[in-house]
Amino acid sequence: LLSNIPKFFLFFFFFFFQKKKKKKKIKETSSTRKRVMSKIALVDDDRNILTSVSMTLEAEGFEVETYNDGQAALDAFNKKLPDMAVLDIKMPRMDGMDLLQRLRQKTAMPVIFLTSKDDEIDEVLGLRMGADDYVKKPFSQRLLVERIRALLRRQDAVAGDVVADTEDTKVMERGDLRM
């Protein structure tokens, strides 16, 4: 029976009577929009801290580079700077204070001290040297992640990143780039 019907009609019949799937239009919001992955440098001589914090940050969508001491981090930063750094103060070869001092000579990237030095004078000194935040060990990883997000949001706002989001248009600007 089907061999007598021209193929054109079969083709037409197939597409005409096929149920059309409606595409759901999902309004893009800041929570559904994919964010460019930020690169976080984690510098600490404690392997347990490096492992646990890097796993947490990667699970939250960050790209993480880990370094065992300040000198290794500085060597890597001279090649390519991360978006922000989380530094321990007490480390071999170069401590966090020295690393921050050298970083501040060439960049204003956000820096958080994550350290066991819990004296108020150490915290004041770290903040005066240019750290954006100071977190004492032991610490909440959830709060550390939120502090990182807050600093990156502020950095994006200062850099002039603007996202216009309406139903009709979705425009993203980053520096001179407009999409």
Side-chain angles (χ1 to χ4, degrees), residues 2 5-15:
L2 291 177
I5 301 174
K7 290 181 182 178
F8 171 76
F9 289 112
L10 285 175
F11 182 77
F12 178 79
F13 181 80
F14 176 76
F15 281 104

Side-chain angles (χ1 to χ4, degrees), residues 7-50:
K7 290 181 182 178
F8 171 76
F9 289 112
L10 285 175
F11 182 77
F12 178 79
F13 181 80
F14 176 76
F15 281 104
F16 183 77
F17 289 102
Q18 182 181 12
K19 286 185 178 180
K20 296 195 178 194
K21 295 178 183 176
K22 291 184 179 180
K23 291 183 181 179
K24 288 184 178 180
K25 187 174 182 180
I26 299 173
K27 184 179 177 188
E28 184 178 323
T29 63
S30 59
S31 62
T32 60
R33 184 182 312 114
K34 285 199 173 186
R35 179 173 164 72
V36 175
M37 195 182 322
S38 297
K39 186 174 180 182
I40 311 295
L42 185 57
V43 188
D44 199 311
D45 59 332
D46 184 340
R47 289 256 182 224
N48 293 329
I49 296 283
L50 289 177

Side-chain angles (χ1 to χ4, degrees), residues 66-141:
T66 60
Y67 305 95
N68 294 333
D69 62 73
Q71 186 61 53
L74 184 63
D75 293 343
F77 296 169
N78 285 331
K79 295 174 186 161
K80 178 145 176 65
L81 282 173
D83 296 312
M84 80 168 297
V86 178
L87 312 176
D88 186 14
I89 292 179
K90 297 188 285 186
M91 293 184 293
R93 292 182 54 191
M94 180 187 296
D95 70 14
M97 292 286 191
D98 290 338
L99 178 57
L100 177 63
Q101 190 175 26
R102 292 186 185 193
L103 287 174
R104 287 297 176 242
Q105 292 172 357
K106 64 180 182 176
T107 183
M109 82 169 161
V111 172
I112 295 176
F113 273 132
L114 178 63
T115 184
S116 59
K117 295 187 77 154
D118 60 355
D119 291 336
E120 181 180 338
I121 191 68
D122 293 321
E123 187 171 354
V124 169
L125 181 61
L127 293 170
R128 283 193 179 174
M129 288 185 68
D132 297 285
D133 205 345
Y134 194 100
V135 177
K136 300 172 192 170
K137 296 176 187 174
F139 61 97
S140 161
Q141 291 202 19

Side-chain angles (χ1 to χ4, degrees), residues 137-150:
K137 296 176 187 174
F139 61 97
S140 161
Q141 291 202 19
R142 187 178 316 158
L143 284 175
L144 178 63
V145 169
E146 293 310 315
R147 288 172 187 256
I148 289 170
R149 283 194 176 125

